[in-house]
Each structure stands twice: as structure tokens, then as C-alpha cells.
Amino acid sequence: MVRHLSDLRGAFCDTEAYAQLLAHSDPLLYRVTNIEDHVGEGDLHYGLGILMPGKVGDEYFMTKGHFHAWRPAAELYIGLRGRGMMVLENERTGESNAVALEANSTVYVPGHTAHRTINIGHEPLVYWGVLSSAAGHDYGSVARRNFRLVVVEADGKPRVMERQEYLKQMEGLQR
Ligand code: MN
């Protein structure tokens, strides 16, 4: 699966920066190779993700994010290379948080939790995701609502912000 900038319309906050970037080129954002050979009860699927470095405005390149179609299915992410974060949002509790995804570290994504990967570094972010073969993917719910948290560069460093707060800040700067 390959996603370019044009596939993430509506995902980034800075719509002007998005349009400007897209006017020049349509860069590769990420590539996920899913290995789904085993489909029996109790089996696992796994996928290798490669997310490129870059930003749209101040917002780092990221994946679309998704829920699992089978909501209780959890997933384990294993960082191989690069510096990243994951934004997690629990559908039932409304709880949101952002955690580090780095080489030789893991992130446990519980069930009922939308998850998005973000590259906050200068090299490709490479990771494995491992989950039940019964999990499936639901991209639609995230595309309609987006995540409540954004990860943006501020003073040269990643900052986690509420989307609404960031949008307000951007509006203020344009005045
Ligand atoms: Mn997943």
C-alpha cells in the first residue's frame, strides 16, 4: 500500500501549505507492506511501515490513521529506525494521548483505539505492526472526524497540541 500527499486531503491543518506543496509535486508519504498470509482463527497479520520525513506547514508527515474493523483487536508496534510518535484515541473513553515510537521500542495500541503514526525526525521512520488476522481496518471513521491531537514543530521541536488550539493559533498568526 502506497500513500502520497494527495491521498491525505483533509488530514493536515494547514490547507494552504497543503495546496502549495501539492502544486509542486505529490511526494510519497508512506508505504505499508502487509503480510496477510495466515487467515485462520488465532493467526497474526503483520506489516512493515515506512513513513517519510517532512512537514505540511508545521505539521509532520503522518499516516491517515485507522481503527480496526473488529474494535476489540489490539496491535503491537515495534520501532526499527527513525524517530516517531503515535497518536492514540480511545473511541469509548474519548481519551487521547501521544507516545514515542522509536528504534528498539514498542507501542501497545489497545482495542477500540484509533492510531496514527507521525515522523518527527529527519530520516524515514520504519516500524512493524503486528495484530490479529481478524482485526481488519476502518479508515472511514477517522477520515470523517480526524484526531483530536496534532504533532507540530514549534521552536525546532515536536509539540503535541489539541487540534482546535492549533487551528486557533494559526488563525491568530494570519491576522
Ligand atoms: Mn492498526
Side-chain angles (χ1 to χ4, degrees):
M1 187 181 72
V2 173
R3 294 283 180 255
H4 291 87
L5 186 64
S6 60
D7 295 312
L8 271 81
R9 192 168 292 283
F12 292 95
C13 289
D14 192 336
T15 50
E16 226 167 89
Y18 180 84
Q20 269 177 23
L21 257 181
L22 210 51
H24 288 279
S25 66
D26 188 10
L28 170 75
L29 257 54
Y30 59 99
R31 188 188 293 276
V32 181
T33 305
N34 283 314
I35 294 137
E36 302 182 335
D37 295 341
H38 307 277
V39 294
E41 193 180 2
D43 274 326
L44 295 173
H45 283 172
Y46 43 103
L48 184 72
I50 303 175
L51 173 58
M52 303 314 284
K55 287 179 297 175
V56 176
D58 291 325
E59 198 174 2
Y60 297 102
F61 280 2
M62 60 192 185
T63 61
K64 282 188 177 187
H66 59 267
F67 283 100
H68 295 143
W70 179 39
R71 287 295 197 270
E75 182 164 9
L76 185 71
Y77 273 71
I78 304 159
L80 296 182
R81 180 181 155 190
R83 286 179 60 222
M85 295 191 80
M86 289 187 76
V87 174
L88 308 178
E89 194 164 311
N90 187 299
E91 187 176 37
R92 296 200 295 192
T93 64
E95 199 186 324
S96 279
N97 61 320
V99 296
L101 176 66
E102 294 173 338
N104 304 313
S105 77
T106 58
V107 173
Y108 187 82
V109 180
H112 303 276
T113 302
H115 41 293
R116 161 178 282 166
T117 309
I118 297 152
N119 188 342
I120 59 169
H122 299 286
E123 60 172 332
L125 177 69
V126 186
Y127 53 91
W128 280 108
V130 185
L131 75 176
S132 164
S133 65
H137 291 91
D138 170 7
Y139 295 97
S141 303
V142 166
R144 278 191 295 279
R145 241 192 21 223
N146 215 333
F147 285 75
R148 219 174 69 210
L149 296 179
V150 295
V151 184
V152 297
E153 189 180 84
D155 304 321
K157 287 178 301 197
R159 178 185 291 170
V160 180
M161 291 180 78
E162 294 277 341
R163 175 179 307 278
Q164 289 313 319
E165 186 193 340
Y166 180 59
L167 287 169
K168 254 186 244 164
Q169 182 189 298
M170 276 191 354
E171 228 174 82
L173 288 174
Q174 277 161 14
R175 282 207 200 100

